[in-house]
Amino acid sequence: YPYLIKPREGGLDDLGLFIPTPLSFVGYLHSHPHTPFVVEESLEGPHLLAFVIGKDCLVILEKTRSSSGEESLHKTDYDNRFVRAVAKEALAALGFPFGMVEIILYGKIPTVIGVNPYFRTIEAEHVSHLPLANRLLLYMKRHYAKKAYEEINELAKRQKKTRSAIKILEARNPND
């Protein structure tokens, strides 16, 4: 304990119900006897977001929640080589070329709780003073420009073959 209970068929925006004690869990089971649910253990500790592009962890920020429920990012004291290595390995394990890794420090152990193949760049750039979006665009330009050029050439070759095949068919069947 504490646990977070979410309905199994709930949407992504469903935050669930916080269950702090075993007694409240029993109360939940009695009040919702036939409702399928998922139980998530609530880990306590600093919630970190690591922004990784390729083999480079650009920045690690800490996510906090205000009493009104609003999330905010700020610089953290937990930014070290070990946490950065865990973030890079988590992203590489899933095969994403870039992304945002969510980590909770459980004691001194970084525990990966989520890997997202997208960035929340606006607030992160404001807090870290790093041009994350520019770095991401440069990475994509360097790594995908050659692939895009090859794909365009391949499509042009296919179109040329298709046009020549159409001309041959038109020559064979002039009445169609």
Side-chain angles (χ1 to χ4, degrees):
Y1 289 95
Y3 287 150
L4 188 65
I5 295 181
K6 295 183 179 183
R8 195 167 67 191
E9 62 274 343
L12 294 174
D13 57 342
D14 189 0
L15 299 176
L17 181 67
F18 185 71
I19 304 291
T21 64
L23 185 60
S24 57
F25 183 61
V26 171
Y28 176 82
L29 291 176
H30 286 298
S31 63
H32 300 85
H34 302 290
T35 305
F37 60 90
V38 176
V39 176
E40 296 179 6
E41 184 177 3
S42 181
L43 297 175
E44 297 295 323
H47 190 152
L48 308 175
L49 293 178
F51 295 86
V52 182
I53 296 177
K55 296 180 180 180
D56 189 22
C57 183
L58 302 176
V59 67
I60 295 179
L61 300 174
E62 189 170 350
K63 182 166 71 169
T64 57
R65 205 179 280 247
S66 68
S67 59
S68 64
E70 241 179 81
E71 290 182 353
S72 64
L73 296 177
H74 57 87
K75 290 187 178 183
T76 182
D77 296 331
Y78 302 105
D79 188 351
N80 59 44
R81 286 188 298 169
F82 183 56
V83 174
R84 285 176 178 259
V86 168
K88 290 188 281 190
E89 288 297 320
L91 197 72
L94 294 176
F96 295 147
F98 49 84
M100 185 174 66
V101 181
E102 294 184 60
I103 298 172
I104 287 187
L105 284 180
Y106 190 63
K108 291 187 177 185
I109 302 169
T111 305
V112 176
I113 61 167
V115 179
N116 302 311
Y118 61 86
F119 276 1
R120 288 176 27 188
T121 58
I122 296 172
E123 187 177 3
E125 283 183 343
H126 180 72
V127 171
S128 67
H129 303 291
L130 293 173
L132 297 176
N134 288 347
R135 294 282 296 267
L136 180 59
L137 290 172
L138 284 173
Y139 177 85
M140 292 174 75
K141 183 178 176 182
R142 286 185 190 130
H143 290 86
Y144 297 111
K146 184 177 180 182
K147 185 176 179 181
Y149 178 76
E150 291 170 357
E151 288 179 3
I152 288 170
N153 282 339
E154 181 64 31
L155 285 173
K157 287 178 187 176
R158 286 183 189 171
Q159 285 179 340
K160 189 175 181 181
K161 286 180 183 179
T162 304
R163 287 187 192 123
S164 64
I166 290 172
K167 287 181 183 179
I168 291 171
L169 289 173
E170 287 175 348
R172 286 186 188 167
N173 302 322
N175 295 336
D176 288 341

PDB file of all heavy atoms in Angstrom, residues 15-52:
ATOM      1  N   LEU A  15      -7.944   8.874 -13.977  1.00  0.00           N
ATOM      2  CA  LEU A  15      -6.861   8.876 -12.998  1.00  0.00           C
ATOM      3  C   LEU A  15      -6.981   7.771 -11.965  1.00  0.00           C
ATOM      4  O   LEU A  15      -6.013   7.454 -11.286  1.00  0.00           O
ATOM      5  CB  LEU A  15      -6.801  10.233 -12.292  1.00  0.00           C
ATOM      6  CG  LEU A  15      -6.524  11.421 -13.203  1.00  0.00           C
ATOM      7  CD1 LEU A  15      -6.590  12.709 -12.418  1.00  0.00           C
ATOM      8  CD2 LEU A  15      -5.195  11.270 -13.885  1.00  0.00           C
ATOM      9  N   GLY A  16      -8.134   7.158 -11.840  1.00  0.00           N
ATOM     10  CA  GLY A  16      -8.312   6.072 -10.897  1.00  0.00           C
ATOM     11  C   GLY A  16      -8.644   6.562  -9.498  1.00  0.00           C
ATOM     12  O   GLY A  16      -8.939   7.732  -9.258  1.00  0.00           O
ATOM     13  N   LEU A  17      -8.571   5.626  -8.546  1.00  0.00           N
ATOM     14  CA  LEU A  17      -8.937   5.899  -7.157  1.00  0.00           C
ATOM     15  C   LEU A  17      -7.754   5.531  -6.268  1.00  0.00           C
ATOM     16  O   LEU A  17      -7.192   4.440  -6.381  1.00  0.00           O
ATOM     17  CB  LEU A  17     -10.167   5.067  -6.777  1.00  0.00           C
ATOM     18  CG  LEU A  17     -10.717   5.231  -5.387  1.00  0.00           C
ATOM     19  CD1 LEU A  17     -11.290   6.638  -5.210  1.00  0.00           C
ATOM     20  CD2 LEU A  17     -11.792   4.203  -5.121  1.00  0.00           C
ATOM     21  N   PHE A  18      -7.359   6.424  -5.400  1.00  0.00           N
ATOM     22  CA  PHE A  18      -6.234   6.206  -4.501  1.00  0.00           C
ATOM     23  C   PHE A  18      -6.706   5.409  -3.288  1.00  0.00           C
ATOM     24  O   PHE A  18      -7.644   5.802  -2.601  1.00  0.00           O
ATOM     25  CB  PHE A  18      -5.653   7.555  -4.070  1.00  0.00           C
ATOM     26  CG  PHE A  18      -4.421   7.437  -3.228  1.00  0.00           C
ATOM     27  CD1 PHE A  18      -3.227   7.022  -3.788  1.00  0.00           C
ATOM     28  CD2 PHE A  18      -4.457   7.748  -1.888  1.00  0.00           C
ATOM     29  CE1 PHE A  18      -2.084   6.915  -3.019  1.00  0.00           C
ATOM     30  CE2 PHE A  18      -3.324   7.648  -1.108  1.00  0.00           C
ATOM     31  CZ  PHE A  18      -2.133   7.224  -1.684  1.00  0.00           C
ATOM     32  N   ILE A  19      -6.048   4.278  -3.016  1.00  0.00           N
ATOM     33  CA  ILE A  19      -6.382   3.415  -1.881  1.00  0.00           C
ATOM     34  C   ILE A  19      -5.196   3.404  -0.921  1.00  0.00           C
ATOM     35  O   ILE A  19      -4.187   2.752  -1.178  1.00  0.00           O
ATOM     36  CB  ILE A  19      -6.681   1.967  -2.357  1.00  0.00           C
ATOM     37  CG1 ILE A  19      -7.784   1.951  -3.411  1.00  0.00           C
ATOM     38  CG2 ILE A  19      -6.997   1.066  -1.187  1.00  0.00           C
ATOM     39  CD1 ILE A  19      -9.149   2.306  -2.906  1.00  0.00           C
ATOM     40  N   PRO A  20      -5.283   4.114   0.195  1.00  0.00           N
ATOM     41  CA  PRO A  20      -4.112   4.229   1.079  1.00  0.00           C
ATOM     42  C   PRO A  20      -3.919   3.057   2.047  1.00  0.00           C
ATOM     43  O   PRO A  20      -2.811   2.797   2.484  1.00  0.00           O
ATOM     44  CB  PRO A  20      -4.382   5.520   1.851  1.00  0.00           C
ATOM     45  CG  PRO A  20      -5.860   5.669   1.832  1.00  0.00           C
ATOM     46  CD  PRO A  20      -6.344   5.030   0.562  1.00  0.00           C
ATOM     47  N   THR A  21      -5.007   2.318   2.405  1.00  0.00           N
ATOM     48  CA  THR A  21      -4.903   1.272   3.434  1.00  0.00           C
ATOM     49  C   THR A  21      -5.633   0.012   2.990  1.00  0.00           C
ATOM     50  O   THR A  21      -6.498   0.050   2.107  1.00  0.00           O
ATOM     51  CB  THR A  21      -5.529   1.757   4.758  1.00  0.00           C
ATOM     52  OG1 THR A  21      -6.931   1.965   4.531  1.00  0.00           O
ATOM     53  CG2 THR A  21      -4.878   3.020   5.262  1.00  0.00           C
ATOM     54  N   PRO A  22      -5.318  -1.133   3.624  1.00  0.00           N
ATOM     55  CA  PRO A  22      -6.056  -2.370   3.307  1.00  0.00           C
ATOM     56  C   PRO A  22      -7.554  -2.258   3.602  1.00  0.00           C
ATOM     57  O   PRO A  22      -8.373  -2.821   2.878  1.00  0.00           O
ATOM     58  CB  PRO A  22      -5.405  -3.418   4.211  1.00  0.00           C
ATOM     59  CG  PRO A  22      -4.058  -2.880   4.524  1.00  0.00           C
ATOM     60  CD  PRO A  22      -4.202  -1.387   4.526  1.00  0.00           C
ATOM     61  N   LEU A  23      -7.918  -1.518   4.639  1.00  0.00           N
ATOM     62  CA  LEU A  23      -9.329  -1.364   4.986  1.00  0.00           C
ATOM     63  C   LEU A  23     -10.095  -0.637   3.880  1.00  0.00           C
ATOM     64  O   LEU A  23     -11.217  -1.016   3.526  1.00  0.00           O
ATOM     65  CB  LEU A  23      -9.467  -0.612   6.317  1.00  0.00           C
ATOM     66  CG  LEU A  23     -10.880  -0.490   6.874  1.00  0.00           C
ATOM     67  CD1 LEU A  23     -11.464  -1.869   7.130  1.00  0.00           C
ATOM     68  CD2 LEU A  23     -10.867   0.315   8.156  1.00  0.00           C
ATOM     69  N   SER A  24      -9.492   0.395   3.306  1.00  0.00           N
ATOM     70  CA  SER A  24     -10.164   1.102   2.219  1.00  0.00           C
ATOM     71  C   SER A  24     -10.241   0.232   0.963  1.00  0.00           C
ATOM     72  O   SER A  24     -11.165   0.362   0.167  1.00  0.00           O
ATOM     73  CB  SER A  24      -9.478   2.435   1.921  1.00  0.00           C
ATOM     74  OG  SER A  24      -8.122   2.237   1.615  1.00  0.00           O
ATOM     75  N   PHE A  25      -9.283  -0.698   0.773  1.00  0.00           N
ATOM     76  CA  PHE A  25      -9.351  -1.625  -0.361  1.00  0.00           C
ATOM     77  C   PHE A  25     -10.532  -2.576  -0.207  1.00  0.00           C
ATOM     78  O   PHE A  25     -11.276  -2.829  -1.159  1.00  0.00           O
ATOM     79  CB  PHE A  25      -8.039  -2.405  -0.489  1.00  0.00           C
ATOM     80  CG  PHE A  25      -7.986  -3.321  -1.667  1.00  0.00           C
ATOM     81  CD1 PHE A  25      -8.090  -2.829  -2.961  1.00  0.00           C
ATOM     82  CD2 PHE A  25      -7.818  -4.676  -1.498  1.00  0.00           C
ATOM     83  CE1 PHE A  25      -8.031  -3.663  -4.064  1.00  0.00           C
ATOM     84  CE2 PHE A  25      -7.762  -5.521  -2.595  1.00  0.00           C
ATOM     85  CZ  PHE A  25      -7.866  -5.017  -3.875  1.00  0.00           C
ATOM     86  N   VAL A  26     -10.754  -3.080   1.015  1.00  0.00           N
ATOM     87  CA  VAL A  26     -11.904  -3.949   1.278  1.00  0.00           C
ATOM     88  C   VAL A  26     -13.201  -3.175   1.047  1.00  0.00           C
ATOM     89  O   VAL A  26     -14.149  -3.692   0.453  1.00  0.00           O
ATOM     90  CB  VAL A  26     -11.837  -4.516   2.713  1.00  0.00           C
ATOM     91  CG1 VAL A  26     -13.116  -5.239   3.088  1.00  0.00           C
ATOM     92  CG2 VAL A  26     -10.648  -5.448   2.849  1.00  0.00           C
ATOM     93  N   GLY A  27     -13.239  -1.922   1.484  1.00  0.00           N
ATOM     94  CA  GLY A  27     -14.423  -1.090   1.243  1.00  0.00           C
ATOM     95  C   GLY A  27     -14.686  -0.897  -0.238  1.00  0.00           C
ATOM     96  O   GLY A  27     -15.841  -0.928  -0.682  1.00  0.00           O
ATOM     97  N   TYR A  28     -13.616  -0.726  -1.027  1.00  0.00           N
ATOM     98  CA  TYR A  28     -13.784  -0.586  -2.474  1.00  0.00           C
ATOM     99  C   TYR A  28     -14.364  -1.869  -3.071  1.00  0.00           C
ATOM    100  O   TYR A  28     -15.258  -1.821  -3.918  1.00  0.00           O
ATOM    101  CB  TYR A  28     -12.453  -0.245  -3.143  1.00  0.00           C
ATOM    102  CG  TYR A  28     -12.543  -0.190  -4.651  1.00  0.00           C
ATOM    103  CD1 TYR A  28     -13.021   0.949  -5.285  1.00  0.00           C
ATOM    104  CD2 TYR A  28     -12.202  -1.279  -5.438  1.00  0.00           C
ATOM    105  CE1 TYR A  28     -13.140   1.005  -6.666  1.00  0.00           C
ATOM    106  CE2 TYR A  28     -12.309  -1.241  -6.812  1.00  0.00           C
ATOM    107  CZ  TYR A  28     -12.772  -0.091  -7.418  1.00  0.00           C
ATOM    108  OH  TYR A  28     -12.906  -0.046  -8.783  1.00  0.00           O
ATOM    109  N   LEU A  29     -13.848  -3.028  -2.640  1.00  0.00           N
ATOM    110  CA  LEU A  29     -14.337  -4.304  -3.173  1.00  0.00           C
ATOM    111  C   LEU A  29     -15.819  -4.513  -2.859  1.00  0.00           C
ATOM    112  O   LEU A  29     -16.564  -5.028  -3.690  1.00  0.00           O
ATOM    113  CB  LEU A  29     -13.511  -5.463  -2.617  1.00  0.00           C
ATOM    114  CG  LEU A  29     -12.076  -5.546  -3.101  1.00  0.00           C
ATOM    115  CD1 LEU A  29     -11.347  -6.679  -2.396  1.00  0.00           C
ATOM    116  CD2 LEU A  29     -12.019  -5.729  -4.602  1.00  0.00           C
ATOM    117  N   HIS A  30     -16.258  -4.089  -1.672  1.00  0.00           N
ATOM    118  CA  HIS A  30     -17.678  -4.236  -1.305  1.00  0.00           C
ATOM    119  C   HIS A  30     -18.561  -3.259  -2.074  1.00  0.00           C
ATOM    120  O   HIS A  30     -19.699  -3.593  -2.416  1.00  0.00           O
ATOM    121  CB  HIS A  30     -17.869  -4.052   0.204  1.00  0.00           C
ATOM    122  CG  HIS A  30     -17.387  -5.205   0.998  1.00  0.00           C
ATOM    123  ND1 HIS A  30     -17.907  -6.482   0.889  1.00  0.00           N
ATOM    124  CD2 HIS A  30     -16.390  -5.297   1.913  1.00  0.00           C
ATOM    125  CE1 HIS A  30     -17.291  -7.300   1.693  1.00  0.00           C
ATOM    126  NE2 HIS A  30     -16.337  -6.604   2.339  1.00  0.00           N
ATOM    127  N   SER A  31     -18.056  -2.081  -2.373  1.00  0.00           N
ATOM    128  CA  SER A  31     -18.883  -1.094  -3.074  1.00  0.00           C
ATOM    129  C   SER A  31     -18.906  -1.315  -4.584  1.00  0.00           C
ATOM    130  O   SER A  31     -19.793  -0.822  -5.269  1.00  0.00           O
ATOM    131  CB  SER A  31     -18.404   0.322  -2.764  1.00  0.00           C
ATOM    132  OG  SER A  31     -17.090   0.503  -3.244  1.00  0.00           O
ATOM    133  N   HIS A  32     -17.941  -2.039  -5.148  1.00  0.00           N
ATOM    134  CA  HIS A  32     -17.876  -2.338  -6.583  1.00  0.00           C
ATOM    135  C   HIS A  32     -17.665  -3.838  -6.784  1.00  0.00           C
ATOM    136  O   HIS A  32     -16.600  -4.269  -7.231  1.00  0.00           O
ATOM    137  CB  HIS A  32     -16.731  -1.573  -7.245  1.00  0.00           C
ATOM    138  CG  HIS A  32     -16.835  -0.092  -7.134  1.00  0.00           C
ATOM    139  ND1 HIS A  32     -16.374   0.602  -6.040  1.00  0.00           N
ATOM    140  CD2 HIS A  32     -17.354   0.818  -7.974  1.00  0.00           C
ATOM    141  CE1 HIS A  32     -16.603   1.882  -6.211  1.00  0.00           C
ATOM    142  NE2 HIS A  32     -17.201   2.056  -7.371  1.00  0.00           N
ATOM    143  N   PRO A  33     -18.667  -4.681  -6.458  1.00  0.00           N
ATOM    144  CA  PRO A  33     -18.432  -6.127  -6.425  1.00  0.00           C
ATOM    145  C   PRO A  33     -18.152  -6.777  -7.790  1.00  0.00           C
ATOM    146  O   PRO A  33     -17.407  -7.729  -7.858  1.00  0.00           O
ATOM    147  CB  PRO A  33     -19.706  -6.680  -5.801  1.00  0.00           C
ATOM    148  CG  PRO A  33     -20.745  -5.649  -6.069  1.00  0.00           C
ATOM    149  CD  PRO A  33     -20.028  -4.337  -6.088  1.00  0.00           C
ATOM    150  N   HIS A  34     -18.716  -6.280  -8.869  1.00  0.00           N
ATOM    151  CA  HIS A  34     -18.565  -6.951 -10.161  1.00  0.00           C
ATOM    152  C   HIS A  34     -17.887  -6.077 -11.205  1.00  0.00           C
ATOM    153  O   HIS A  34     -18.100  -6.256 -12.394  1.00  0.00           O
ATOM    154  CB  HIS A  34     -19.933  -7.404 -10.681  1.00  0.00           C
ATOM    155  CG  HIS A  34     -20.632  -8.332  -9.737  1.00  0.00           C
ATOM    156  ND1 HIS A  34     -20.198  -9.608  -9.511  1.00  0.00           N
ATOM    157  CD2 HIS A  34     -21.710  -8.152  -8.935  1.00  0.00           C
ATOM    158  CE1 HIS A  34     -20.986 -10.193  -8.627  1.00  0.00           C
ATOM    159  NE2 HIS A  34     -21.916  -9.317  -8.254  1.00  0.00           N
ATOM    160  N   THR A  35     -17.076  -5.140 -10.762  1.00  0.00           N
ATOM    161  CA  THR A  35     -16.405  -4.226 -11.682  1.00  0.00           C
ATOM    162  C   THR A  35     -14.951  -4.682 -11.872  1.00  0.00           C
ATOM    163  O   THR A  35     -14.202  -4.740 -10.895  1.00  0.00           O
ATOM    164  CB  THR A  35     -16.409  -2.792 -11.122  1.00  0.00           C
ATOM    165  OG1 THR A  35     -17.753  -2.420 -10.837  1.00  0.00           O
ATOM    166  CG2 THR A  35     -15.805  -1.817 -12.111  1.00  0.00           C
ATOM    167  N   PRO A  36     -14.543  -5.015 -13.124  1.00  0.00           N
ATOM    168  CA  PRO A  36     -13.137  -5.379 -13.335  1.00  0.00           C
ATOM    169  C   PRO A  36     -12.237  -4.153 -13.174  1.00  0.00           C
ATOM    170  O   PRO A  36     -12.582  -3.060 -13.612  1.00  0.00           O
ATOM    171  CB  PRO A  36     -13.102  -5.901 -14.776  1.00  0.00           C
ATOM    172  CG  PRO A  36     -14.348  -5.439 -15.416  1.00  0.00           C
ATOM    173  CD  PRO A  36     -15.334  -5.119 -14.338  1.00  0.00           C
ATOM    174  N   PHE A  37     -11.102  -4.345 -12.529  1.00  0.00           N
ATOM    175  CA  PHE A  37     -10.214  -3.217 -12.272  1.00  0.00           C
ATOM    176  C   PHE A  37      -8.760  -3.669 -12.358  1.00  0.00           C
ATOM    177  O   PHE A  37      -8.451  -4.849 -12.377  1.00  0.00           O
ATOM    178  CB  PHE A  37     -10.499  -2.597 -10.901  1.00  0.00           C
ATOM    179  CG  PHE A  37     -10.324  -3.541  -9.747  1.00  0.00           C
ATOM    180  CD1 PHE A  37      -9.089  -3.666  -9.111  1.00  0.00           C
ATOM    181  CD2 PHE A  37     -11.382  -4.297  -9.291  1.00  0.00           C
ATOM    182  CE1 PHE A  37      -8.929  -4.537  -8.061  1.00  0.00           C
ATOM    183  CE2 PHE A  37     -11.229  -5.173  -8.231  1.00  0.00           C
ATOM    184  CZ  PHE A  37      -9.996  -5.292  -7.616  1.00  0.00           C
ATOM    185  N   VAL A  38      -7.873  -2.684 -12.394  1.00  0.00           N
ATOM    186  CA  VAL A  38      -6.434  -2.903 -12.407  1.00  0.00           C
ATOM    187  C   VAL A  38      -5.861  -2.208 -11.180  1.00  0.00           C
ATOM    188  O   VAL A  38      -6.224  -1.078 -10.880  1.00  0.00           O
ATOM    189  CB  VAL A  38      -5.795  -2.315 -13.693  1.00  0.00           C
ATOM    190  CG1 VAL A  38      -4.296  -2.456 -13.673  1.00  0.00           C
ATOM    191  CG2 VAL A  38      -6.392  -2.957 -14.921  1.00  0.00           C
ATOM    192  N   VAL A  39      -4.960  -2.893 -10.479  1.00  0.00           N
ATOM    193  CA  VAL A  39      -4.327  -2.323  -9.293  1.00  0.00           C
ATOM    194  C   VAL A  39      -2.888  -1.962  -9.644  1.00  0.00           C
ATOM    195  O   VAL A  39      -2.145  -2.775 -10.171  1.00  0.00           O
ATOM    196  CB  VAL A  39      -4.337  -3.317  -8.112  1.00  0.00           C
ATOM    197  CG1 VAL A  39      -3.593  -2.743  -6.918  1.00  0.00           C
ATOM    198  CG2 VAL A  39      -5.743  -3.691  -7.741  1.00  0.00           C
ATOM    199  N   GLU A  40      -2.517  -0.725  -9.367  1.00  0.00           N
ATOM    200  CA  GLU A  40      -1.149  -0.272  -9.577  1.00  0.00           C
ATOM    201  C   GLU A  40      -0.561   0.104  -8.225  1.00  0.00           C
ATOM    202  O   GLU A  40      -1.191   0.795  -7.448  1.00  0.00           O
ATOM    203  CB  GLU A  40      -1.110   0.958 -10.490  1.00  0.00           C
ATOM    204  CG  GLU A  40      -1.596   0.711 -11.876  1.00  0.00           C
ATOM    205  CD  GLU A  40      -1.550   1.975 -12.719  1.00  0.00           C
ATOM    206  OE1 GLU A  40      -1.032   3.002 -12.263  1.00  0.00           O
ATOM    207  OE2 GLU A  40      -2.061   1.912 -13.845  1.00  0.00           O
ATOM    208  N   GLU A  41       0.650  -0.388  -7.976  1.00  0.00           N
ATOM    209  CA  GLU A  41       1.316   0.003  -6.739  1.00  0.00           C
ATOM    210  C   GLU A  41       1.805   1.431  -6.909  1.00  0.00           C
ATOM    211  O   GLU A  41       2.373   1.789  -7.925  1.00  0.00           O
ATOM    212  CB  GLU A  41       2.488  -0.915  -6.449  1.00  0.00           C
ATOM    213  CG  GLU A  41       3.161  -0.619  -5.132  1.00  0.00           C
ATOM    214  CD  GLU A  41       4.283  -1.584  -4.827  1.00  0.00           C
ATOM    215  OE1 GLU A  41       4.569  -2.448  -5.655  1.00  0.00           O
ATOM    216  OE2 GLU A  41       4.872  -1.444  -3.757  1.00  0.00           O
ATOM    217  N   SER A  42       1.580   2.242  -5.927  1.00  0.00           N
ATOM    218  CA  SER A  42       1.999   3.635  -5.980  1.00  0.00           C
ATOM    219  C   SER A  42       3.390   3.752  -5.366  1.00  0.00           C
ATOM    220  O   SER A  42       3.562   3.576  -4.161  1.00  0.00           O
ATOM    221  CB  SER A  42       1.004   4.503  -5.220  1.00  0.00           C
ATOM    222  OG  SER A  42       1.390   5.831  -5.291  1.00  0.00           O
ATOM    223  N   LEU A  43       4.394   4.002  -6.203  1.00  0.00           N
ATOM    224  CA  LEU A  43       5.758   4.154  -5.713  1.00  0.00           C
ATOM    225  C   LEU A  43       5.966   5.576  -5.236  1.00  0.00           C
ATOM    226  O   LEU A  43       5.553   6.529  -5.885  1.00  0.00           O
ATOM    227  CB  LEU A  43       6.759   3.831  -6.829  1.00  0.00           C
ATOM    228  CG  LEU A  43       6.750   2.413  -7.359  1.00  0.00           C
ATOM    229  CD1 LEU A  43       7.710   2.294  -8.530  1.00  0.00           C
ATOM    230  CD2 LEU A  43       7.118   1.427  -6.275  1.00  0.00           C
ATOM    231  N   GLU A  44       6.621   5.694  -4.110  1.00  0.00           N
ATOM    232  CA  GLU A  44       6.912   7.004  -3.556  1.00  0.00           C
ATOM    233  C   GLU A  44       8.338   7.390  -3.920  1.00  0.00           C
ATOM    234  O   GLU A  44       9.230   6.555  -3.891  1.00  0.00           O
ATOM    235  CB  GLU A  44       6.760   6.982  -2.040  1.00  0.00           C
ATOM    236  CG  GLU A  44       5.355   6.668  -1.569  1.00  0.00           C
ATOM    237  CD  GLU A  44       4.356   7.725  -1.941  1.00  0.00           C
ATOM    238  OE1 GLU A  44       4.710   8.915  -1.912  1.00  0.00           O
ATOM    239  OE2 GLU A  44       3.209   7.368  -2.254  1.00  0.00           O
ATOM    240  N   GLY A  45       8.548   8.623  -4.267  1.00  0.00           N
ATOM    241  CA  GLY A  45       9.886   9.105  -4.576  1.00  0.00           C
ATOM    242  C   GLY A  45       9.830  10.162  -5.654  1.00  0.00           C
ATOM    243  O   GLY A  45       8.769  10.429  -6.233  1.00  0.00           O
ATOM    244  N   PRO A  46      10.973  10.768  -5.955  1.00  0.00           N
ATOM    245  CA  PRO A  46      11.006  11.800  -6.990  1.00  0.00           C
ATOM    246  C   PRO A  46      10.622  11.230  -8.355  1.00  0.00           C
ATOM    247  O   PRO A  46      11.071  10.154  -8.739  1.00  0.00           O
ATOM    248  CB  PRO A  46      12.463  12.268  -6.988  1.00  0.00           C
ATOM    249  CG  PRO A  46      13.023  11.802  -5.702  1.00  0.00           C
ATOM    250  CD  PRO A  46      12.262  10.600  -5.298  1.00  0.00           C
ATOM    251  N   HIS A  47       9.779  11.939  -9.079  1.00  0.00           N
ATOM    252  CA  HIS A  47       9.323  11.547 -10.410  1.00  0.00           C
ATOM    253  C   HIS A  47      10.148  12.340 -11.424  1.00  0.00           C
ATOM    254  O   HIS A  47      10.045  13.562 -11.482  1.00  0.00           O
ATOM    255  CB  HIS A  47       7.845  11.855 -10.544  1.00  0.00           C
ATOM    256  CG  HIS A  47       7.214  11.277 -11.762  1.00  0.00           C
ATOM    257  ND1 HIS A  47       5.901  10.948 -11.811  1.00  0.00           N
ATOM    258  CD2 HIS A  47       7.701  10.942 -12.968  1.00  0.00           C
ATOM    259  CE1 HIS A  47       5.606  10.462 -13.010  1.00  0.00           C
ATOM    260  NE2 HIS A  47       6.702  10.463 -13.712  1.00  0.00           N
ATOM    261  N   LEU A  48      10.955  11.628 -12.215  1.00  0.00           N
ATOM    262  CA  LEU A  48      11.868  12.274 -13.151  1.00  0.00           C
ATOM    263  C   LEU A  48      11.450  12.022 -14.587  1.00  0.00           C
ATOM    264  O   LEU A  48      10.893  10.970 -14.904  1.00  0.00           O
ATOM    265  CB  LEU A  48      13.294  11.741 -12.948  1.00  0.00           C
ATOM    266  CG  LEU A  48      13.849  11.788 -11.525  1.00  0.00           C
ATOM    267  CD1 LEU A  48      15.204  11.130 -11.465  1.00  0.00           C
ATOM    268  CD2 LEU A  48      13.919  13.210 -11.022  1.00  0.00           C
ATOM    269  N   LEU A  49      11.718  12.975 -15.459  1.00  0.00           N
ATOM    270  CA  LEU A  49      11.513  12.828 -16.898  1.00  0.00           C
ATOM    271  C   LEU A  49      12.859  13.030 -17.575  1.00  0.00           C
ATOM    272  O   LEU A  49      13.493  14.072 -17.408  1.00  0.00           O
ATOM    273  CB  LEU A  49      10.523  13.871 -17.428  1.00  0.00           C
ATOM    274  CG  LEU A  49       9.080  13.742 -16.968  1.00  0.00           C
ATOM    275  CD1 LEU A  49       8.255  14.874 -17.554  1.00  0.00           C
ATOM    276  CD2 LEU A  49       8.498  12.415 -17.369  1.00  0.00           C
ATOM    277  N   ALA A  50      13.292  12.020 -18.328  1.00  0.00           N
ATOM    278  CA  ALA A  50      14.554  12.099 -19.052  1.00  0.00           C
ATOM    279  C   ALA A  50      14.246  12.259 -20.536  1.00  0.00           C
ATOM    280  O   ALA A  50      13.448  11.503 -21.099  1.00  0.00           O
ATOM    281  CB  ALA A  50      15.378  10.837 -18.823  1.00  0.00           C
ATOM    282  N   PHE A  51      14.868  13.224 -21.179  1.00  0.00           N
ATOM    283  CA  PHE A  51      14.671  13.490 -22.600  1.00  0.00           C
ATOM    284  C   PHE A  51      15.886  12.932 -23.338  1.00  0.00           C
ATOM    285  O   PHE A  51      16.996  13.427 -23.163  1.00  0.00           O
ATOM    286  CB  PHE A  51      14.496  14.979 -22.842  1.00  0.00           C
ATOM    287  CG  PHE A  51      13.245  15.521 -22.208  1.00  0.00           C
ATOM    288  CD1 PHE A  51      13.231  15.928 -20.884  1.00  0.00           C
ATOM    289  CD2 PHE A  51      12.068  15.591 -22.928  1.00  0.00           C
ATOM    290  CE1 PHE A  51      12.085  16.402 -20.297  1.00  0.00           C
ATOM    291  CE2 PHE A  51      10.908  16.074 -22.344  1.00  0.00           C
ATOM    292  CZ  PHE A  51      10.916  16.474 -21.032  1.00  0.00           C
ATOM    293  N   VAL A  52      15.646  11.891 -24.145  1.00  0.00           N
ATOM    294  CA  VAL A  52      16.737  11.157 -24.794  1.00  0.00           C
ATOM    295  C   VAL A  52      16.565  11.231 -26.308  1.00  0.00           C
ATOM    296  O   VAL A  52      15.471  11.017 -26.829  1.00  0.00           O
ATOM    297  CB  VAL A  52      16.743   9.678 -24.341  1.00  0.00           C
ATOM    298  CG1 VAL A  52      17.891   8.921 -24.973  1.00  0.00           C
ATOM    299  CG2 VAL A  52      16.802   9.572 -22.828  1.00  0.00           C
TER     300      VAL A  52
END
